[in-house]
Amino acid sequence: MCRGLESLPTTCLERAKELKALFGSFLQKPDLSVIGHSHKTDKLRLNKSEPLKWKESFDNLLSNQNGLCLFRAFLVSEFSEENIAFYLACEDYRIIKTSSKLSATAKKIYEEFVCSDAPREVNLDHETKAITKKNLEHPSQSCFNLAQEKIYALMEKDCYPRFLKSTTYLEISRQVKSG
């Protein structure tokens, strides 16, 4: 199912480590409003209130690039990174315009995440798998909607609360509050 840390993009893992280090060292300084940091050509801009917003809702966490990277790194450590990988693959799939690319990408996503014995199989019930497979007969931007909703709900109810209780998140939010 999950291939461990090697399946996480290096840039995301680096960013997660960088965020933890930056929040830790930055929050000990008097001016806490915004931080800038250069890493190669990447500009990393952090606002001290970001981690607190992630706790407000799962959507806030997923819509924030820094939060998403930390959450993804957390899922790798929990051996459930396939959930966020599937969710993000569905998000990317939704914006595909050409039908030939829709078909090829749908097949790839199905074989990687949905079908039985997929290398990164996500936890879906039999009915959802069957509906998704049927949807692939005529691929459209919405053919993974049901499966994606189920995985989103699973992450929101299970992974997200564990993330909020994780050492990394608690340490970052504690430092922000005591800032």
Side-chain angles (χ1 to χ4, degrees), residues 11-170:
T11 56
C12 192
L13 190 56
E14 287 173 2
R15 174 137 335 177
K17 288 177 183 175
E18 201 173 76
L19 286 171
K20 185 177 178 185
L22 287 172
F23 270 114
S25 63
F26 175 70
L27 292 171
Q28 295 171 9
K29 297 179 183 173
D31 177 17
L32 300 179
S33 57
V34 176
I35 174 175
H37 175 73
S38 277
H39 179 63
K40 298 178 185 169
T41 58
D42 235 8
K43 283 279 188 189
L44 179 61
R45 306 281 302 160
L46 298 174
N47 183 299
K48 74 165 186 137
S49 64
E50 277 182 49
L52 300 178
K53 289 180 183 174
W54 303 339
K55 191 173 186 172
E56 292 173 5
S57 75
F58 188 48
D59 283 330
N60 284 353
L61 176 67
L62 294 183
S63 64
N64 180 278
Q65 184 180 12
N66 297 326
L68 179 59
C69 278
L70 277 175
F71 183 63
R72 192 167 187 175
F74 168 76
L75 290 179
V76 167
S77 74
E78 295 276 306
F79 303 103
S80 58
E81 189 263 343
E82 69 278 359
N83 293 322
I84 194 67
F86 172 71
Y87 176 84
L88 295 172
C90 291
E91 289 294 295
D92 291 342
Y93 176 79
R94 224 183 246 129
I95 60 173
I96 295 173
K97 301 289 185 220
T98 62
S99 62
S100 62
K101 190 163 183 178
L102 269 178
S103 181
T105 305
K107 183 178 184 215
K108 182 181 174 197
I109 292 171
Y110 181 81
E111 289 174 354
E112 185 173 352
F113 297 105
V114 180
C115 74
S116 296
D117 299 323
R120 299 170 78 188
E121 185 177 359
V122 292
N123 189 6
L124 294 169
D125 59 87
H126 178 72
E127 183 180 348
T128 302
K129 286 184 176 192
I131 291 169
T132 303
K133 186 175 183 175
K134 180 133 180 78
N135 289 344
L136 293 183
E137 292 173 7
H138 304 287
S140 69
Q141 277 110 350
S142 63
C143 70
F144 289 103
N145 283 2
L146 178 62
Q148 185 185 24
E149 288 168 11
K150 299 264 182 165
I151 294 304
Y152 178 93
L154 175 72
M155 290 190 299
E156 185 176 37
K157 289 179 183 173
D158 182 43
C159 304
Y160 175 59
R162 284 197 330 263
F163 170 75
L164 295 177
K165 293 175 184 170
S166 71
T167 306
T168 300
Y169 178 77
L170 290 174

